[in-house]
Amino acid sequence: MTTNHDIQVSVLGLGAMGSTLAAALVRAGYATTVWNRSAHKASDLVAHGATLAGTAGDAVRAGQLVIVCLLDHASVHDVLDPLADELAGRTLINVTTMSPAQAREVAAWAADAGVGYLSGGIMAVPAMIGRPGSAILYSGSAAVFDQHKPLLELWGTSTYFGADPGLAPLYDLALLAGMYVMFAGFMHGAAMVAPAGVTAGEFAAMAAPWLAAMTGGFQGFATVIDGGDYTVDGQQSLEFSDLGDILTASSDQGISTEVVAMVQRLIHRQVDAGHGKDGFARIMESIKGS
Ligand code: NDP
């Protein structure tokens, strides 16, 4: 297993996230070389002991392990494509957010270039890196993950999802999908109570513990979905789950109904198909498109 003192690490990309990841490595005592298109962003890191590379090629040549945290898939190719020869025989960990297909494409490019490759999906904002609650999802080379786990754990809890380099990005985007729909639900609720003089802050104080408690239902839904039988006893039925009252109250408050109407449509597609007595988890079938 690798220790702090026997590996040279290079970080390409020193935006808000890349500079935070690099700072954690410098703090932990890794010999860290950094590069950014706009070099001034390296100043703090250099002041704390990082070495600034003049070019991305210099950074790659300085590191056995190369970490890439750029804006997107296109910027990763912009930076790495000219460096395939320099990267050969090295290890690449790409924590740039991209689609699963894009991550698989970069992994295939890396394999062609003779580069060990791991995809990462960062489930944290920079202020969370290295603190409780920071989780980073990985897939791709198991050997790369196992060898560098102590380094990866500096950033957050590291979970490996298997050899498919697209799986970590898929998990990443699936978790973000859940988050954004939940955020929209919170904001819909805040908009409902606003005309009654309730501030968003007052609503947030009620909504946060309520929604946190409701996440306790995920495993019950999952058991039904994985079991493939939406008729099992003890579930709230789709008929009972009709959101008509919420839609009416939203209209009465003078706000858009589209957030709640989206869920109502998922419910009604199943009710209209004759599944009204089945449990709420059956909206999974609407989402899957069946
Ligand atoms: P920033 O916008 O702060 O930084 C983007 C970085 O990409 C900069 O270093 C920028 O260089 C570089 N860049 C963009 N285009 C090019 C290019 N064509 N050639 C060379 N360099 C380029 O983004 P973040 O650091 O916040 O995010 C980096 C990655 O981390 C993204 O994929 C993001 O989705 C992911 N991430 C970020 C989170 C966050 O909360 N910030 C959370 C989870 C994931 P320059 O400085 O010269 O512009």
Side-chain angles (χ1 to χ4, degrees):
M1 192 153 292
T2 305
T3 66
N4 283 4
H5 306 289
D6 60 10
I7 185 161
Q8 305 280 325
V9 189
S10 292
V11 179
L12 308 184
L14 304 175
M17 184 56 82
S19 56
T20 306
L21 300 179
L25 302 182
V26 171
R27 268 199 309 277
Y30 283 91
T32 307
T33 297
V34 294
W35 172 83
N36 196 55
R37 180 178 62 178
S38 312
H40 69 274
K41 291 188 184 171
S43 306
D44 270 6
L45 287 161
V46 170
H48 287 90
T51 302
L52 177 62
T55 66
D58 289 344
V60 167
R61 283 184 287 276
Q64 299 146 276
L65 172 61
V66 178
I67 290 150
V68 182
C69 186
L70 293 164
L71 184 63
D72 57 11
H73 176 255
S75 55
V76 168
H77 272 302
D78 284 351
V79 173
L80 296 187
D81 281 0
L83 301 175
D85 290 345
E86 281 89 342
L87 278 163
R90 301 176 198 275
T91 297
L92 185 63
I93 300 181
N94 176 21
V95 292
T96 307
T97 304
M98 54 182 67
S99 75
Q102 290 171 336
R104 290 182 190 115
E105 184 279 327
V106 175
W109 177 92
D112 282 348
V115 181
Y117 184 82
L118 191 65
S119 295
I122 303 175
M123 308 310 301
V125 295
M128 292 167 65
I129 294 298
R131 298 178 189 278
S134 171
I136 311 197
L137 320 178
Y138 296 96
S139 66
S141 166
V144 171
F145 180 78
D146 290 343
Q147 186 186 356
H148 296 294
K149 192 147 187 277
L151 180 152
L152 303 177
E153 288 286 330
L154 292 171
W155 297 333
T157 304
S158 311
T159 307
Y160 178 71
F161 289 93
D164 173 4
L167 195 51
L170 182 62
Y171 250 103
D172 180 346
L173 298 177
L175 289 166
L176 290 176
M179 179 192 79
Y180 279 114
V181 177
M182 180 191 71
F183 283 170
F186 160 69
M187 290 185 200
H188 182 90
M192 280 179 80
V193 295
V198 180
T199 66
E202 287 167 335
F203 185 70
M206 294 302 296
W210 162 250
L211 291 175
M214 289 302 96
T215 64
F218 287 178
Q219 281 301 341
F221 289 139
T223 300
V224 171
I225 292 163
D226 292 342
D229 179 5
Y230 297 107
T231 68
V232 291
D233 289 341
Q235 302 178 74
Q236 180 174 312
S237 74
L238 280 168
E239 280 168 352
F240 186 85
S241 308
D242 187 274
L243 306 185
D245 287 346
I246 302 175
L247 288 165
T248 303
S250 300
S251 296
D252 290 349
Q253 294 299 88
I255 67 165
S256 161
T257 56
E258 60 198 316
V259 172
V260 178
M262 178 270 289
V263 184
Q264 180 80 321
R265 278 197 301 278
L266 300 175
I267 293 170
H268 272 259
R269 211 177 307 158
Q270 297 304 313
V271 172
D272 293 348
H275 303 296
K277 303 276 184 250
D278 287 6
F280 182 78
R282 193 176 181 100
I283 68 165
M284 184 73 165
E285 296 302 311
S286 296
I287 294 166
K288 282 169 23 184
S290 51

